Amino acid sequence: MPPNLRVAARYRAATRATGIRREGVPVVVIGAGPYGLATAARLSASGVRLRIFGEPMQGWHTHMPEGMFLKSVPAASSISAPEPGYGFADFRAAQGSGPVGDLYPIPVEEFIGYGRWFQERRVPEVERSMVRGVQAVDGGFGITLDSGEEFLAAAVVVSTGLVPFAHEPRELRHLAAAGLTSHTCEHRNLTRFEGQRVAVLGAGQSALETAALLNEAGAHPTLVARAPAVVFGDPPQTDTPSARRRSTRLYKPGSALGPGWSLLAVSRGAAAYRHLPTPVRVRLLHTVLGPSGAWWLRERVAGRFPVLSGRTVRSAVPEDGTVRLELTDTGGGTELVRAEHLLMATGYRVDVDRLGLLEPTLRQAVQTFGGAPRLSAGFESSVPGLYFTGLAAAPSFGPVLRFVCGTGFAARQLAAGLAARNR
Ligand SMILES: Cc1cc2nc3c(=O)[nH]c(=O)nc-3n(C[C@H](O)[C@H](O)[C@H](O)COP(=O)(O)OP(=O)(O)OC[C@H]3O[C@@H](n4cnc5c(N)ncnc54)[C@H](O)[C@@H]3O)c2cc1C
């Protein structure tokens, strides 16, 4: 039997085998981060009955370091709502804080407060249970919660965020068992590394900011980056983009992702992005907004701790409770770095297979490209009624889906897709 038919047969068998109680919830949204909240707000406003599960803003308060600042500017850091009054600026006004512009890096604690404020006002129905499993049942989905409750849903929106996709290079996995490595998403509080040597792998914002925070927490970081040099953005010329010189605005127009024509194209052209050939999409996803630090990080990094750029890890071995890294540089030279811990700021890679909450036959029924779900214009996967949003949708719709500023496009498209399906 050809593989696609085998999968379909297993899928039907799983559907028949379950005895889940039928209770007709039209839509289940899994996840209460910016994407899940924006989706739920939009669907509720359209009169769609739904249940939404997750811990509001958990990705931000559990999987990002205390003391972090957002790289996105305030104007690009609002969770989308179907009506005005729920943006980041509205939150600040409600707190009695004044307006802020591009020169204001948002502290992560303030952003978490904003997300919870949004949730309490706009999506109060969030249920703080976790979804343990989703399986295909007679053209719908059987949902099992960690409380043991089971029910049937007609459609499911997966918005479980970044953490399931944390990428750890295969060649370093053997160190994890000895507790010598971890991914940056595993740490909220970096003070546990005080006094220790920590090698930080990566060259993006997360790597640079984690290394800066480690240094400020009394640890001894060494940044190891494959990139030939670490790069920082330029400070905005003015606090408000409209106050920039006209010639500058023409040369580098402003966008939600930052100034420049290519950023403007991907931030406004998410719908068109899906029609680009797959290799082009994959390349753009990795090259547009390549690894760099925010302008305000430069003085917290430069000259504060060793930055070894243009280095590749040749080997990493445990030795007397430390990790011994052998690095090679572009000229073929080698050097050794020893550290009590190796922190991987190696990003996130979408792979449906890593979404353990989807039962295996359901996962296999989702058509993918490079591990990512193939999505319709309405964010629906090849399994009717199964939707993906947030980072999982970025390979289809482009880099804007990696950021909070993509919540408006995603929620609108998804709501329209669901409405069309119901018709
Ligand atoms: C270090 C770092 C810095 C970043 N800085 C910025 C920035 O400055 N600006 C910006 O726009 N973006 C930034 N991002 C990206 C940002 O995190 C994402 O754009 C955004 O959080 C994605 O929202 P989300 O709702 O998809 O996922 P998340 O915010 O990760 O939320 C996931 C939700 O899913 C829930 N969940 C997970 N599993 C289950 C389950 N089984 N059952 C029920 N619920 C579940 C969680 O409880 C949580 O509510 C940053 C990311 C990182 C890692």
Side-chain angles (χ1 to χ4, degrees):
M1 197 190 290
N4 57 342
L5 291 184
R6 266 205 309 272
V7 168
R10 280 208 298 274
Y11 180 71
R12 278 197 301 275
T15 299
R16 280 196 301 271
T18 148
I20 282 178
R21 189 157 55 97
R22 267 122 241 261
E23 221 180 57
V25 176
V27 180
V28 161
V29 178
I30 309 177
Y35 276 86
L37 293 174
T39 304
R42 173 91 31 188
L43 291 174
S44 303
S46 321
V48 175
R49 209 156 49 80
L50 60 88
R51 290 180 74 178
I52 168 168
F53 299 97
E55 187 54 46
M57 300 302 284
Q58 186 181 33
W60 294 79
H61 71 75
T62 307
H63 299 288
M64 295 188 198
E66 274 168 5
M68 182 191 111
F69 290 88
L70 269 67
K71 193 179 177 191
S72 59
V73 296
S77 301
S78 288
I79 303 171
S80 169
E83 64 288 293
Y86 299 96
F88 180 70
D90 301 305
F91 163 71
R92 280 187 60 88
Q95 310 298 302
S97 311
V100 284
D102 286 4
L103 289 164
Y104 178 78
I106 306 173
V108 71
E109 285 73 18
E110 184 178 5
F111 189 71
I112 294 167
Y114 162 56
R116 289 178 175 156
W117 176 89
F118 181 101
Q119 179 267 314
E120 283 159 15
R121 276 153 193 80
R122 207 56 204 72
V123 198
E125 66 268 36
V126 171
E127 297 177 50
R128 285 171 163 77
S129 307
M130 298 303 266
V131 174
R132 196 195 303 150
V134 180
Q135 58 183 310
V137 183
D138 292 343
F141 302 92
I143 310 290
T144 308
L145 303 183
D146 58 4
S147 62
E149 181 188 348
E150 294 183 335
F151 61 93
L152 194 73
V156 170
V157 180
V158 179
S159 50
T160 46
L162 287 65
V163 176
F165 303 130
H167 172 65
E168 302 185 353
R170 193 186 303 273
E171 61 276 17
L172 299 175
R173 284 186 199 153
H174 64 286
L175 297 167
L180 292 170
T181 57
S182 53
H183 192 275
T184 42
C185 75
E186 294 172 53
H187 302 283
R188 170 89 185 120
N189 187 339
L190 295 169
T191 56
R192 63 165 272 217
F193 294 111
E194 186 182 350
Q196 293 185 20
R197 291 168 297 174
V198 183
V200 180
L201 208 57
Q205 170 75 4
S206 178
L208 293 162
E209 192 168 19
T210 299
L213 288 166
L214 281 166
N215 180 49
E216 290 152 13
H220 307 290
T222 297
L223 190 90
V224 178
R226 222 174 14 205
V230 294
V231 180
F232 296 92
D234 294 323
Q237 283 175 352
T238 59
D239 206 25
T240 35
S242 57
R244 291 160 72 212
R245 276 196 304 274
R246 190 158 180 274
S247 56
T248 316
R249 276 186 279 142
L250 278 176
Y251 169 62
K252 275 198 160 193
S255 84
L257 296 177
W261 283 102
S262 59
L263 295 182
L264 182 70
V266 290
S267 60
R268 297 259 183 95
Y273 191 94
R274 200 174 67 86
H275 298 291
L276 294 171
T278 302
V280 178
R281 268 189 282 160
V282 172
R283 198 179 65 241
L284 283 176
L285 195 62
H286 293 116
T287 52
V288 175
L289 280 174
S292 74
W295 60 271
W296 42 261
L297 255 181
R298 188 190 295 268
E299 62 176 21
R300 292 169 56 198
V301 172
R304 306 272 176 182
F305 47 83
V307 173
L308 307 177
S309 52
R311 310 298 208 283
T312 308
V313 177
R314 187 164 167 188
S315 68
V317 287
E319 199 175 82
D320 303 330
T322 67
V323 49
R324 178 177 173 276
L325 293 173
E326 189 182 354
L327 308 177
T328 51
D329 62 29
T330 42
T334 60
E335 67 195 298
L336 290 180
V337 169
R338 233 179 269 271
E340 274 76 40
H341 199 80
L342 173 61
L343 209 44
M344 292 176 282
T346 39
Y348 300 84
R349 289 198 189 163
V350 179
D351 183 356
V352 171
D353 244 358
R354 295 184 67 184
L355 291 174
L357 86 165
L358 302 182
E359 175 261 341
T361 47
L362 180 55
R363 252 181 281 153
Q364 287 161 24
V366 176
Q367 280 178 19
T368 56
F369 63 104
R374 207 173 275 287
L375 300 178
S376 71
F379 286 61
E380 191 175 19
S381 70
S382 57
V383 175
L386 183 61
Y387 295 74
F388 292 86
T389 188
L391 183 68
S396 294
F397 295 98
V400 72
L401 272 287
R402 284 165 41 197
F403 300 94
V404 175
C405 61
T407 52
F409 169 77
R412 279 191 301 276
Q413 293 291 112
L414 211 152
L418 262 165
R421 181 171 189 270
N422 289 341
R423 273 200 299 275

